[in-house]
Amino acid sequence: MLIRESYLSRLRPMYDVPDLVKVLTGVRRGGKSVLLTQVQDDLRTHVPAERIICLNFEFLGLAEIAHAEKLDRHVHSLVTDPTQLHYVFLDEVQEVDGFERAVNSLRASGNLSVFITGSNSHLLDGGLSTYLAGRYIETKVWPLSFAESLELRGISLDQASLDLVTDYLSWGGMPFRFSVDPALQRNYLRDVFNSVVLRDVVQRAGVRDVVGLEAIIDFTIDNMGRVMSPSSLAGYLASVGKTLSTDAVYAYLRALDASLLLNRVRRYDLRGKRVMSTLDKYYATDVGLLWSRRTGQGPGQGDLVENCVYVELVRRGFDVYVGVTGHTEIDFVAVKDQRPRYIQTAYLITGDNVVAREFGAFAPIRDNHPKYVISLDPFPQDHDGIRHLSLTQFLLDPPDDLR
């Protein structure tokens, strides 16, 4: 089992803080339950097993715990010594009706350190955030990074070939796909994709027009990382004979974002210093889930590099925006510790025109914050003080200010 130390190190300081609920969110089958098990194993090195309470609500055996009151009573019935801190793990807790009240009640007990997981970002949008009101901390669990995928397969970092990078770009980092026969991994990823769409989009969001939803998904696959708006998307759908109102398109995009299948990225006006309210971009949490169902050409290699860089940045804790400078854009403005880093991505830097386009994109930016171009080139070359990184270096051995 791959130990996800980067997450454990963030969670350890909160183990013994009962007044904070530890919330783990992430796409279905992305590794939340395994991480929860690793936290439990970490605790068992110094905590008696009877003080660790684990409930996974995907198991039918817990189906009778269908309401908040039953959940509250059941957990308290498992407490062996009320004078000692117990650790409570509730996996996929959103399956319990009114779970927000139960979680808050358990937290308020004072002797329970509560960890919960959910496969939908709306876990925190409604009652839970209202009940907890600043008494929770969220950890987003992403599919495996490229470095983690190598470690899982016992491959050292210096053996990271271009073929391995290309495989990761196309098929992503869903953990179990590395254990599946390569001939079956597309079927596996498609099954996960279907479960996300069915359970976390169609059922939870109450989507009625499944055909329209699939058309939106197909459009976002082919236009990953490109600016889009609900109105332009509704216009496209109308042009191919599918009628959805702008409001419906917006609702469906919001549901896909909430399912953590897609990620909405806002544009940031670098001159006006403000987040813009229109024309967002969308990136895949795991490109393999979308790639598994493509029927057309799908995204190009440059789009896959861009998506990969986006996911790695947010995995490392950056707030990420699309930078707008007049009529041009910077692929990413990545902010951490109140400092921006400006990043352009490309497939390959293959001539003077590409050099001018990618490195010249930074010309309107007058500050001295770090600027990078990231591409698949094996031998990157800096230009005019702008760092050029290979994608492999960015993923495995980045400069300190991109860690």
Side-chain angles (χ1 to χ4, degrees):
M1 181 184 295
L2 170 72
I3 303 301
R4 305 193 76 178
E5 181 59 34
S6 62
Y7 290 103
L8 292 174
S9 62
R10 295 179 223 170
L11 291 166
R12 282 194 189 100
M14 297 179 282
Y15 284 0
D16 296 332
V17 184
D19 198 44
L20 276 180
V21 175
K22 281 64 72 175
V23 182
L24 278 61
T25 58
V27 70
R28 193 173 294 276
R29 302 292 172 257
K32 300 183 303 300
S33 297
V34 171
L35 178 59
L36 214 59
T37 299
Q38 292 180 4
V39 172
Q40 296 159 24
D41 291 341
D42 203 24
L43 283 167
R44 288 190 183 98
T45 63
H46 61 280
V47 173
E50 61 269 18
R51 286 167 50 195
I52 299 173
I53 300 169
C54 310
L55 303 174
N56 186 336
F57 292 98
E58 289 194 317
F59 294 162
L60 285 176
L62 297 178
E64 63 181 24
I65 306 176
H67 301 287
E69 293 78 8
K70 285 189 175 182
L71 174 56
D72 187 69
R73 288 197 300 269
H74 183 73
V75 171
H76 281 291
S77 73
L78 298 175
V79 173
T80 58
D81 181 355
T83 67
Q84 297 290 318
L85 182 65
H86 285 57
Y87 303 85
V88 179
F89 296 86
L90 307 175
D91 201 0
E92 298 296 344
V93 69
Q94 75 271 9
E95 301 295 334
V96 177
D97 186 35
F99 72 91
E100 304 95 339
R101 292 184 291 114
V103 170
N104 186 50
S105 175
L106 295 172
R107 178 204 60 79
S109 299
N111 65 335
L112 301 175
S113 181
V114 181
F115 299 74
I116 68 174
T117 75
S119 300
N120 195 300
S121 67
H122 284 173
L123 187 74
L124 295 171
D125 284 353
L128 186 61
S129 59
T130 301
Y131 277 104
L132 296 181
R135 297 189 184 277
Y136 70 87
I137 187 161
E138 180 187 12
T139 299
K140 291 185 177 179
V141 181
W142 293 82
L144 302 185
S145 68
F146 181 58
E148 287 178 319
S149 76
L150 295 178
E151 183 181 351
L152 180 67
R153 290 177 285 180
I155 301 171
S156 64
L157 300 188
D158 58 6
Q159 293 177 308
S161 66
L162 182 58
D163 285 345
L164 290 170
V165 175
T166 302
D167 172 79
Y168 183 79
L169 282 179
S170 298
W171 295 108
M174 294 298 284
F176 192 67
R177 78 104 169 160
F178 297 101
S179 303
V180 175
D181 186 301
L184 300 176
Q185 69 177 358
R186 182 169 184 168
N187 289 339
Y188 165 73
L189 291 169
R190 188 186 295 119
D191 289 343
V192 175
F193 173 89
N194 289 336
S195 73
V196 172
V197 170
L198 178 63
R199 298 185 62 177
D200 295 327
V201 181
V202 174
Q203 292 180 0
R204 296 195 189 284
V207 170
R208 295 182 180 181
D209 187 348
V210 177
V211 174
L213 175 68
E214 290 178 341
I216 290 174
I217 292 171
D218 290 340
F219 182 85
T220 58
I221 293 172
D222 289 336
N223 294 275
M224 194 165 57
R226 291 177 172 79
V227 170
M228 66 178 70
S229 68
S231 58
S232 65
L233 185 45
Y236 162 77
L237 293 174
S239 72
V240 294
K242 296 180 174 64
T243 302
L244 273 178
S245 69
T246 298
D247 287 344
V249 171
Y250 179 81
Y252 288 5
L253 285 173
R254 178 172 167 77
L256 289 166
D257 183 42
S259 74
L260 305 172
L261 190 66
L262 296 177
N263 300 272
R264 176 192 183 198
V265 180
R266 310 296 299 274
R267 298 195 304 156
Y268 185 82
D269 184 345
L270 294 170
R271 294 179 177 175
K273 306 298 182 183
R274 62 184 179 88
V275 176
M276 303 175 74
S277 59
T278 59
L279 300 177
D280 304 314
K281 289 189 176 185
Y282 288 85
Y283 293 94
T285 292
D286 185 83
V287 73
L289 292 178
L290 300 185
W291 193 259
S292 68
R293 65 157 281 130
R294 80 188 191 281
T295 55
Q297 182 177 353
Q301 288 295 307
D303 302 317
L304 295 176
V305 171
E306 186 175 335
N307 198 96
C308 180
V309 169
Y310 164 77
V311 171
E312 190 63 29
L313 287 169
V314 291
R315 182 187 283 112
R316 294 174 185 175
F318 288 92
D319 295 321
V320 180
Y321 305 89
V322 175
V324 178
T325 57
H327 297 293
T328 62
E329 286 188 349
I330 303 297
D331 286 336
F332 300 120
V333 181
V335 181
K336 186 189 285 188
D337 301 327
Q338 299 182 321
R339 292 181 56 243
R341 292 79 159 162
Y342 305 109
I343 300 166
Q344 279 288 97
T345 66
Y347 172 40
L348 294 171
I349 306 299
T350 54
D352 291 342
N353 290 341
V354 180
V355 170
R357 182 183 71 230
E358 302 300 342
F359 288 86
F362 299 109
I365 301 174
R366 302 303 182 186
D367 62 44
N368 292 319
H369 293 298
K371 303 173 180 67
Y372 294 95
V373 173
I374 300 173
S375 71
L376 276 175
D377 294 274
F379 304 107
Q381 299 183 42
D382 299 348
H383 289 270
D384 300 324
I386 298 168
R387 288 287 306 277
H388 182 195
L389 304 177
S390 70
L391 180 63
T392 304
Q393 180 183 356
F394 169 72
L395 293 174
L396 300 180
D397 186 28
D400 287 343
D401 56 15
L402 288 181
R403 292 182 183 274

